[in-house]
Amino acid sequence: MTITLSPELKNSITKQIELALFEDLNGLDANNDITAQLIPVEQSVSAHIITREDCTFCGQAWLIETFKQLGDQIDIQWAVKDGDKLAVNQLICTLTGSARTILTGERTALNFIQTLSATATATALYVDKIKHTHTKLLDTRKTIPGMRLAQKYAVTCGGGVNHRVGLYDAFLIKENHITAAGGIDKAVTQARKIAPGKAVEVEVENNAELQLALDAGADIIMLDNYSPVQIAEAAAINNASNKPAKLEMSGNITINTIADYAQAGVDFISSGALTKHIQAIDLSLRIK
């Protein structure tokens, strides 16, 4: 799998690493690592990073940027790439160069890799459950603050698809928007006027609202907390419409139930669990 980093993501990575190193060093001077000063400045070592558990890997660019910003030339030999599925104790990469620099950058690099690999791993597990259907798995805006683009990239490494990035690139008209705007029809009509080229998605809680969203011409309709049986009913209503919309399911999706929802007839399933209900992957860096 080859996944391209967008210019926006590359810029984000630079800023994230700068902030993370600043937190660790109380500045951007590697000499502030007082424990690393125990080691002779000229000492060179080789170290390897392994995973202590099965996972889907993500985070190569974050490790590279960490050592780039620390200044010393660290040779990095990769054994894996983003999106690879790894087994317990599998080698991720080998680092060769200044012992001080490797140890100063260790925690920053691993923090990013363990978090991004967690999102990629969760996504891959969910995607595997629905691979026999046409349904695509989407992420949400329920991301770690400051890590939006990073986690959405990790979702793609796990085989998922990105939903809207933020509040600016697509409409998602939810219950409170509908109430404040005066109804589904008014909200959709106004959305078309504000940004004619943007996708308009409407969240509904029942089939009466579904019909209103269809009549208003929504591009995507999010079925909020529908059961699989209710999804099948909604799919039938949608298919009978003169202008059917794409259907998305959201709410209470788990690894054990996602296949049932997908098989019921939705185009998309979105889940905040991919980015917020994650457990960091256990990684280890050891000097040889």
Side-chain angles (χ1 to χ4, degrees), residues 207-208 210-211 214 230-242 244:
N207 288 341
L210 167 66
Q211 190 61 60
L214 286 169
Q230 290 171 318
I231 288 174
E233 294 172 354
I237 294 171
N238 184 55
N239 291 336
S241 172
N242 292 329

Side-chain angles (χ1 to χ4, degrees), residues 220-240:
I220 306 168
I221 298 175
M222 178 188 289
L223 308 175
D224 183 39
N225 288 307
Y226 272 50
S227 69
V229 171
Q230 290 171 318
I231 288 174
E233 294 172 354
I237 294 171
N238 184 55
N239 291 336

Side-chain angles (χ1 to χ4, degrees), residues 155-166:
V155 165
T156 66
C157 289
V161 177
N162 293 152
H163 207 302
R164 60 177 182 161
V165 175

Side-chain angles (χ1 to χ4, degrees), residues 26 28 31 41 43 52 63 72 75 103 110 117 119 127 139 149 168 181 190 221-222 224 234 241 278 280:
N26 193 31
L28 295 176
N31 292 319
V41 69
Q43 184 169 337
R52 295 294 191 186
L63 183 141
D72 273 331
D75 180 69
L103 293 176
L110 293 187
S117 294
T119 286
V127 167
D139 52 28
L149 293 181
Y168 58 89
Q190 187 65 12
I221 298 175
M222 178 188 289
D224 183 39
S241 172
I278 55 172

Side-chain angles (χ1 to χ4, degrees), residues 9-285:
L9 179 56
K10 290 179 181 178
N11 184 53
S12 176
I13 293 170
T14 300
K15 293 178 179 178
Q16 287 167 352
I17 297 302
E18 182 176 313
L19 178 59
L21 289 174
F22 194 97
E23 285 180 330
D24 238 2
L25 295 168
N26 193 31
L28 295 176
D29 185 353
N31 292 319
N32 288 348
D33 182 353
I34 58 176
T35 310
Q37 291 181 33
L38 300 172
I39 303 164
V41 69
E42 70 278 3
Q43 184 169 337
S44 181
V45 297
S46 185
H48 60 248
I49 298 175
I50 64 170
T51 175
R52 295 294 191 186
E53 57 185 307
D54 295 347
C55 68
T56 297
F57 177 74
C58 179
Q60 195 176 82
W62 284 261
L63 183 141
I64 292 171
E65 182 65 21
T66 296
F67 292 105
K68 176 183 175 183
Q69 290 197 24
L70 286 172
D72 273 331
Q73 186 68 37
I74 301 298
D75 180 69
I76 307 169
Q77 296 297 319
W78 290 98
V80 302
K81 61 184 183 299
D82 287 354
D84 284 354
K85 289 179 168 55
L86 312 186
V88 61
N89 293 325
Q90 187 168 340
L91 176 68
I92 293 174
C93 67
T94 300
L95 309 170
T96 305
S98 164
R100 283 191 177 189
T101 301
I102 289 173
L103 293 176
T104 297
E106 171 187 1
R107 179 43 51 201
T108 293
L110 293 187
N111 281 348
F112 282 102
I113 294 175
Q114 69 186 19
T115 301
L116 296 177
S117 294
T119 286
T121 300
T123 303
L125 292 173
Y126 276 70
V127 167
D128 186 64
K129 292 290 186 178
I130 60 173
K131 65 184 180 182
H132 61 292
T133 74
H134 77 279
T135 305
K136 295 180 180 179
L137 179 66
L138 305 178
D139 52 28
T140 71
R141 289 170 47 241
K142 297 174 183 177
T143 51
I144 299 170
M147 291 283 287
R148 173 71 53 80
L149 293 181
Q151 284 195 288
K152 282 184 171 285
Y153 170 77
V155 165
T156 66
C157 289
V161 177
N162 293 152
H163 207 302
R164 60 177 182 161
V165 175
L167 298 173
Y168 58 89
D169 56 332
F171 289 95
L172 179 45
I173 303 170
K174 306 188 81 171
E175 179 184 7
N176 287 332
H177 298 103
I178 293 168
T179 300
I184 289 175
D185 181 65
K186 288 183 178 180
V188 173
T189 299
Q190 187 65 12
R192 298 296 187 198
K193 293 178 180 178
I194 292 169
K198 302 290 186 183
V200 177
E201 180 169 359
V202 178
E203 178 187 66
V204 302
E205 297 180 346
N206 53 61
N207 288 341
E209 291 181 353
L210 167 66
Q211 190 61 60
L212 288 173
L214 286 169
D215 292 342
D219 299 305
I220 306 168
I221 298 175
M222 178 188 289
L223 308 175
D224 183 39
N225 288 307
Y226 272 50
S227 69
V229 171
Q230 290 171 318
I231 288 174
E233 294 172 354
I237 294 171
N238 184 55
N239 291 336
S241 172
N242 292 329
K243 189 180 178 183
K246 295 290 186 181
L247 296 182
E248 175 184 335
M249 170 61 197
S250 183
N252 296 321
I253 303 295
T254 71
I255 193 71
N256 295 320
T257 62
I258 189 170
D260 294 332
Y261 288 106
Q263 290 163 180
V266 289
D267 301 284
F268 308 107
I269 292 176
S270 57
S271 175
L274 308 180
T275 50
K276 69 186 182 78
H277 294 168
I278 55 172
Q279 181 172 319
I281 300 300
D282 188 9
L283 305 173
S284 176
L285 182 149

